[in-house]
mmCIF file of all heavy atoms in Angstrom:
data_model
loop_
_atom_site.group_PDB
_atom_site.id
_atom_site.type_symbol
_atom_site.label_atom_id
_atom_site.label_comp_id
_atom_site.label_asym_id
_atom_site.label_seq_id
_atom_site.Cartn_x
_atom_site.Cartn_y
_atom_site.Cartn_z
ATOM 1 N N ALA U 1 97.634 -15.244 86.693
ATOM 2 C CA ALA U 1 98.851 -15.263 87.505
ATOM 3 C C ALA U 1 99.925 -16.136 86.790
ATOM 4 O O ALA U 1 101.103 -15.789 86.745
ATOM 5 C CB ALA U 1 98.631 -15.714 88.904
ATOM 6 N N GLU U 2 99.488 -17.234 86.277
ATOM 7 C CA GLU U 2 100.405 -18.141 85.553
ATOM 8 C C GLU U 2 100.944 -17.435 84.298
ATOM 9 O O GLU U 2 102.116 -17.520 83.993
ATOM 10 C CB GLU U 2 99.735 -19.460 85.199
ATOM 11 C CG GLU U 2 100.631 -20.458 84.522
ATOM 12 C CD GLU U 2 101.846 -20.862 85.404
ATOM 13 O OE1 GLU U 2 101.692 -21.026 86.601
ATOM 14 O OE2 GLU U 2 102.953 -20.996 84.819
ATOM 15 N N GLN U 3 100.049 -16.789 83.542
ATOM 16 C CA GLN U 3 100.489 -16.059 82.359
ATOM 17 C C GLN U 3 101.458 -14.948 82.733
ATOM 18 O O GLN U 3 102.475 -14.763 82.011
ATOM 19 C CB GLN U 3 99.270 -15.459 81.670
ATOM 20 C CG GLN U 3 98.364 -16.474 81.002
ATOM 21 C CD GLN U 3 97.066 -15.851 80.513
ATOM 22 O OE1 GLN U 3 96.722 -14.703 80.762
ATOM 23 N NE2 GLN U 3 96.303 -16.659 79.745
ATOM 24 N N LEU U 4 101.202 -14.214 83.796
ATOM 25 C CA LEU U 4 102.124 -13.159 84.229
ATOM 26 C C LEU U 4 103.482 -13.754 84.551
ATOM 27 O O LEU U 4 104.489 -13.223 84.124
ATOM 28 C CB LEU U 4 101.563 -12.427 85.422
ATOM 29 C CG LEU U 4 102.530 -11.474 86.125
ATOM 30 C CD1 LEU U 4 102.950 -10.311 85.229
ATOM 31 C CD2 LEU U 4 101.945 -10.939 87.426
ATOM 32 N N PHE U 5 103.486 -14.857 85.309
ATOM 33 C CA PHE U 5 104.757 -15.477 85.674
ATOM 34 C C PHE U 5 105.564 -15.894 84.410
ATOM 35 O O PHE U 5 106.777 -15.608 84.344
ATOM 36 C CB PHE U 5 104.504 -16.685 86.581
ATOM 37 C CG PHE U 5 105.783 -17.347 87.066
ATOM 38 C CD1 PHE U 5 106.455 -16.782 88.145
ATOM 39 C CD2 PHE U 5 106.265 -18.448 86.459
ATOM 40 C CE1 PHE U 5 107.672 -17.371 88.590
ATOM 41 C CE2 PHE U 5 107.463 -19.066 86.897
ATOM 42 C CZ PHE U 5 108.147 -18.484 87.969
ATOM 43 N N GLN U 6 104.897 -16.525 83.513
ATOM 44 C CA GLN U 6 105.591 -16.983 82.251
ATOM 45 C C GLN U 6 106.112 -15.772 81.468
ATOM 46 O O GLN U 6 107.257 -15.799 80.974
ATOM 47 C CB GLN U 6 104.647 -17.803 81.389
ATOM 48 C CG GLN U 6 104.236 -19.153 82.042
ATOM 49 C CD GLN U 6 105.391 -20.029 82.401
ATOM 50 O OE1 GLN U 6 106.411 -20.077 81.741
ATOM 51 N NE2 GLN U 6 105.228 -20.699 83.537
ATOM 52 N N GLU U 7 105.314 -14.758 81.342
ATOM 53 C CA GLU U 7 105.761 -13.552 80.610
ATOM 54 C C GLU U 7 106.902 -12.851 81.298
ATOM 55 O O GLU U 7 107.849 -12.398 80.666
ATOM 56 C CB GLU U 7 104.611 -12.594 80.371
ATOM 57 C CG GLU U 7 105.021 -11.451 79.510
ATOM 58 C CD GLU U 7 103.880 -10.751 78.783
ATOM 59 O OE1 GLU U 7 102.732 -11.214 78.923
ATOM 60 O OE2 GLU U 7 104.178 -9.718 78.103
ATOM 61 N N TYR U 8 106.820 -12.802 82.625
ATOM 62 C CA TYR U 8 107.900 -12.177 83.414
ATOM 63 C C TYR U 8 109.253 -12.932 83.115
ATOM 64 O O TYR U 8 110.245 -12.298 82.787
ATOM 65 C CB TYR U 8 107.607 -12.208 84.924
ATOM 66 C CG TYR U 8 108.689 -11.486 85.699
ATOM 67 C CD1 TYR U 8 108.639 -10.128 85.905
ATOM 68 C CD2 TYR U 8 109.771 -12.185 86.168
ATOM 69 C CE1 TYR U 8 109.642 -9.432 86.548
ATOM 70 C CE2 TYR U 8 110.806 -11.537 86.828
ATOM 71 C CZ TYR U 8 110.739 -10.172 87.049
ATOM 72 O OH TYR U 8 111.735 -9.506 87.684
ATOM 73 N N VAL U 9 109.208 -14.237 83.227
ATOM 74 C CA VAL U 9 110.422 -15.054 82.974
ATOM 75 C C VAL U 9 110.936 -14.792 81.550
ATOM 76 O O VAL U 9 112.150 -14.622 81.353
ATOM 77 C CB VAL U 9 110.132 -16.552 83.212
ATOM 78 C CG1 VAL U 9 111.267 -17.414 82.687
ATOM 79 C CG2 VAL U 9 109.865 -16.826 84.711
ATOM 80 N N GLN U 10 110.041 -14.766 80.591
ATOM 81 C CA GLN U 10 110.418 -14.567 79.186
ATOM 82 C C GLN U 10 111.204 -13.270 78.965
ATOM 83 O O GLN U 10 112.132 -13.244 78.182
ATOM 84 C CB GLN U 10 109.144 -14.610 78.337
ATOM 85 C CG GLN U 10 109.350 -14.275 76.887
ATOM 86 C CD GLN U 10 107.989 -14.057 76.185
ATOM 87 O OE1 GLN U 10 106.977 -14.478 76.677
ATOM 88 N NE2 GLN U 10 108.043 -13.449 75.059
ATOM 89 N N HIS U 11 110.825 -12.218 79.706
ATOM 90 C CA HIS U 11 111.479 -10.920 79.499
ATOM 91 C C HIS U 11 112.758 -10.708 80.290
ATOM 92 O O HIS U 11 113.397 -9.651 80.144
ATOM 93 C CB HIS U 11 110.453 -9.789 79.848
ATOM 94 C CG HIS U 11 109.464 -9.584 78.758
ATOM 95 N ND1 HIS U 11 109.752 -8.953 77.545
ATOM 96 C CD2 HIS U 11 108.199 -9.960 78.686
ATOM 97 C CE1 HIS U 11 108.671 -8.931 76.801
ATOM 98 N NE2 HIS U 11 107.707 -9.527 77.480
ATOM 99 N N GLN U 12 113.154 -11.645 81.146
ATOM 100 C CA GLN U 12 114.345 -11.461 81.975
ATOM 101 C C GLN U 12 115.633 -11.942 81.329
ATOM 102 O O GLN U 12 116.686 -11.606 81.811
ATOM 103 C CB GLN U 12 114.129 -12.120 83.339
ATOM 104 C CG GLN U 12 112.907 -11.623 84.104
ATOM 105 C CD GLN U 12 112.699 -10.104 84.017
ATOM 106 O OE1 GLN U 12 113.584 -9.360 84.432
ATOM 107 N NE2 GLN U 12 111.555 -9.727 83.532
ATOM 108 N N GLY U 13 115.505 -12.719 80.274
ATOM 109 C CA GLY U 13 116.713 -13.203 79.607
ATOM 110 C C GLY U 13 117.367 -14.317 80.393
ATOM 111 O O GLY U 13 116.866 -14.779 81.414
ATOM 112 N N ASP U 14 118.544 -14.744 79.910
ATOM 113 C CA ASP U 14 119.272 -15.844 80.625
ATOM 114 C C ASP U 14 119.805 -15.325 81.917
ATOM 115 O O ASP U 14 120.244 -14.159 82.023
ATOM 116 C CB ASP U 14 120.402 -16.356 79.725
ATOM 117 C CG ASP U 14 119.866 -17.128 78.509
ATOM 118 O OD1 ASP U 14 118.682 -17.559 78.584
ATOM 119 O OD2 ASP U 14 120.629 -17.310 77.593
ATOM 120 N N PRO U 15 119.865 -16.090 82.922
ATOM 121 C CA PRO U 15 119.557 -17.542 83.026
ATOM 122 C C PRO U 15 118.134 -17.850 83.426
ATOM 123 O O PRO U 15 117.791 -18.986 83.649
ATOM 124 C CB PRO U 15 120.531 -17.971 84.139
ATOM 125 C CG PRO U 15 120.548 -16.798 85.049
ATOM 126 C CD PRO U 15 120.476 -15.592 84.159
ATOM 127 N N PHE U 16 117.239 -16.814 83.504
ATOM 128 C CA PHE U 16 115.896 -17.022 84.076
ATOM 129 C C PHE U 16 115.079 -18.056 83.309
ATOM 130 O O PHE U 16 114.315 -18.792 83.942
ATOM 131 C CB PHE U 16 115.169 -15.662 84.132
ATOM 132 C CG PHE U 16 115.722 -14.786 85.232
ATOM 133 C CD1 PHE U 16 116.787 -13.960 84.970
ATOM 134 C CD2 PHE U 16 115.149 -14.753 86.483
ATOM 135 C CE1 PHE U 16 117.277 -13.147 85.970
ATOM 136 C CE2 PHE U 16 115.625 -13.966 87.475
ATOM 137 C CZ PHE U 16 116.724 -13.154 87.209
ATOM 138 N N GLY U 17 115.200 -18.162 82.046
ATOM 139 C CA GLY U 17 114.387 -19.075 81.269
ATOM 140 C C GLY U 17 115.003 -20.420 81.077
ATOM 141 O O GLY U 17 114.406 -21.337 80.451
ATOM 142 N N LEU U 18 116.233 -20.611 81.544
ATOM 143 C CA LEU U 18 116.943 -21.838 81.319
ATOM 144 C C LEU U 18 116.400 -22.982 82.225
ATOM 145 O O LEU U 18 116.111 -22.745 83.401
ATOM 146 C CB LEU U 18 118.427 -21.677 81.579
ATOM 147 C CG LEU U 18 119.131 -20.697 80.643
ATOM 148 C CD1 LEU U 18 120.564 -20.537 81.063
ATOM 149 C CD2 LEU U 18 119.033 -21.149 79.186
ATOM 150 N N PRO U 19 116.328 -24.193 81.659
ATOM 151 C CA PRO U 19 115.861 -25.328 82.534
ATOM 152 C C PRO U 19 116.850 -25.502 83.663
ATOM 153 O O PRO U 19 118.070 -25.406 83.512
ATOM 154 C CB PRO U 19 115.917 -26.544 81.567
ATOM 155 C CG PRO U 19 116.070 -25.989 80.180
ATOM 156 C CD PRO U 19 116.614 -24.592 80.295
ATOM 157 N N GLY U 20 116.322 -25.781 84.823
ATOM 158 C CA GLY U 20 117.159 -26.020 86.003
ATOM 159 C C GLY U 20 117.646 -24.753 86.724
ATOM 160 O O GLY U 20 118.311 -24.885 87.739
ATOM 161 N N PHE U 21 117.306 -23.609 86.184
ATOM 162 C CA PHE U 21 117.747 -22.379 86.861
ATOM 163 C C PHE U 21 117.006 -22.267 88.187
ATOM 164 O O PHE U 21 115.767 -22.361 88.217
ATOM 165 C CB PHE U 21 117.472 -21.144 86.018
ATOM 166 C CG PHE U 21 117.704 -19.835 86.721
ATOM 167 C CD1 PHE U 21 118.996 -19.481 87.172
ATOM 168 C CD2 PHE U 21 116.676 -18.986 86.976
ATOM 169 C CE1 PHE U 21 119.177 -18.276 87.841
ATOM 170 C CE2 PHE U 21 116.874 -17.773 87.616
ATOM 171 C CZ PHE U 21 118.148 -17.435 88.066
ATOM 172 N N SER U 22 117.717 -22.111 89.230
ATOM 173 C CA SER U 22 117.140 -21.982 90.550
ATOM 174 C C SER U 22 117.641 -20.699 91.197
ATOM 175 O O SER U 22 118.742 -20.679 91.741
ATOM 176 C CB SER U 22 117.553 -23.216 91.408
ATOM 177 O OG SER U 22 116.936 -23.098 92.679
ATOM 178 N N PRO U 23 116.862 -19.653 91.089
ATOM 179 C CA PRO U 23 117.314 -18.353 91.648
ATOM 180 C C PRO U 23 117.345 -18.375 93.142
ATOM 181 O O PRO U 23 116.673 -19.184 93.819
ATOM 182 C CB PRO U 23 116.235 -17.383 91.146
ATOM 183 C CG PRO U 23 115.026 -18.225 91.022
ATOM 184 C CD PRO U 23 115.483 -19.572 90.598
ATOM 185 N N PRO U 24 118.140 -17.510 93.731
ATOM 186 C CA PRO U 24 118.139 -17.438 95.193
ATOM 187 C C PRO U 24 116.750 -16.981 95.670
ATOM 188 O O PRO U 24 116.090 -16.183 95.010
ATOM 189 C CB PRO U 24 119.181 -16.370 95.511
ATOM 190 C CG PRO U 24 119.424 -15.656 94.220
ATOM 191 C CD PRO U 24 119.038 -16.545 93.107
ATOM 192 N N ARG U 25 116.303 -17.534 96.789
ATOM 193 C CA ARG U 25 114.960 -17.184 97.333
ATOM 194 C C ARG U 25 115.103 -15.992 98.251
ATOM 195 O O ARG U 25 115.261 -16.153 99.429
ATOM 196 C CB ARG U 25 114.346 -18.390 98.010
ATOM 197 C CG ARG U 25 113.947 -19.487 97.046
ATOM 198 C CD ARG U 25 113.225 -20.611 97.698
ATOM 199 N NE ARG U 25 111.959 -20.321 98.245
ATOM 200 C CZ ARG U 25 110.781 -20.365 97.585
ATOM 201 N NH1 ARG U 25 110.766 -20.680 96.337
ATOM 202 N NH2 ARG U 25 109.662 -20.115 98.239
ATOM 203 N N LEU U 26 115.090 -14.839 97.629
ATOM 204 C CA LEU U 26 115.175 -13.619 98.401
ATOM 205 C C LEU U 26 113.943 -13.446 99.312
ATOM 206 O O LEU U 26 112.813 -13.719 98.861
ATOM 207 C CB LEU U 26 115.247 -12.394 97.504
ATOM 208 C CG LEU U 26 116.441 -12.196 96.619
ATOM 209 C CD1 LEU U 26 116.248 -10.958 95.730
ATOM 210 C CD2 LEU U 26 117.697 -12.044 97.487
ATOM 211 N N PRO U 27 114.132 -13.013 100.539
ATOM 212 C CA PRO U 27 112.947 -12.695 101.351
ATOM 213 C C PRO U 27 112.284 -11.478 100.806
ATOM 214 O O PRO U 27 112.987 -10.551 100.292
ATOM 215 C CB PRO U 27 113.576 -12.471 102.749
ATOM 216 C CG PRO U 27 114.993 -12.104 102.543
ATOM 217 C CD PRO U 27 115.426 -12.807 101.229
ATOM 218 N N VAL U 28 111.015 -11.429 100.866
ATOM 219 C CA VAL U 28 110.236 -10.286 100.442
ATOM 220 C C VAL U 28 109.574 -9.671 101.698
ATOM 221 O O VAL U 28 108.832 -10.349 102.398
ATOM 222 C CB VAL U 28 109.148 -10.704 99.391
ATOM 223 C CG1 VAL U 28 108.256 -9.539 99.022
ATOM 224 C CG2 VAL U 28 109.780 -11.305 98.161
ATOM 225 N N ALA U 29 109.883 -8.419 101.901
ATOM 226 C CA ALA U 29 109.379 -7.730 103.102
ATOM 227 C C ALA U 29 107.883 -7.804 103.171
ATOM 228 O O ALA U 29 107.178 -7.404 102.225
ATOM 229 C CB ALA U 29 109.831 -6.280 103.113
ATOM 230 N N GLY U 30 107.331 -8.292 104.291
ATOM 231 C CA GLY U 30 105.922 -8.323 104.488
ATOM 232 C C GLY U 30 105.125 -9.480 103.892
ATOM 233 O O GLY U 30 103.941 -9.520 104.029
ATOM 234 N N LEU U 31 105.846 -10.413 103.260
ATOM 235 C CA LEU U 31 105.090 -11.511 102.611
ATOM 236 C C LEU U 31 106.009 -12.735 102.462
ATOM 237 O O LEU U 31 107.152 -12.612 102.136
ATOM 238 C CB LEU U 31 104.624 -11.064 101.222
ATOM 239 C CG LEU U 31 103.679 -12.008 100.460
ATOM 240 C CD1 LEU U 31 102.376 -12.231 101.217
ATOM 241 C CD2 LEU U 31 103.413 -11.484 99.078
ATOM 242 N N SER U 32 105.411 -13.891 102.735
ATOM 243 C CA SER U 32 106.122 -15.113 102.501
ATOM 244 C C SER U 32 105.114 -16.084 101.803
ATOM 245 O O SER U 32 103.944 -15.780 101.673
ATOM 246 C CB SER U 32 106.599 -15.743 103.817
ATOM 247 O OG SER U 32 105.499 -15.951 104.665
#
């Protein structure tokens, strides 16, 4: 799961991999 998360971030481009990037915490239907 950690490897997946890191790889996901790597493929999204800026600003996802930038230090301090804090994305909005979108609600996910059916899961918190």
Side-chain angles (χ1 to χ4, degrees):
E2 183 60 40
Q3 290 171 351
L4 170 63
F5 183 81
Q6 295 303 324
E7 186 158 355
Y8 183 87
V9 168
Q10 173 190 343
H11 283 284
Q12 302 317 302
D14 289 342
F16 288 85
L18 297 176
F21 172 64
S22 182
R25 290 184 67 88
L26 293 177
V28 175
L31 188 63
S32 59

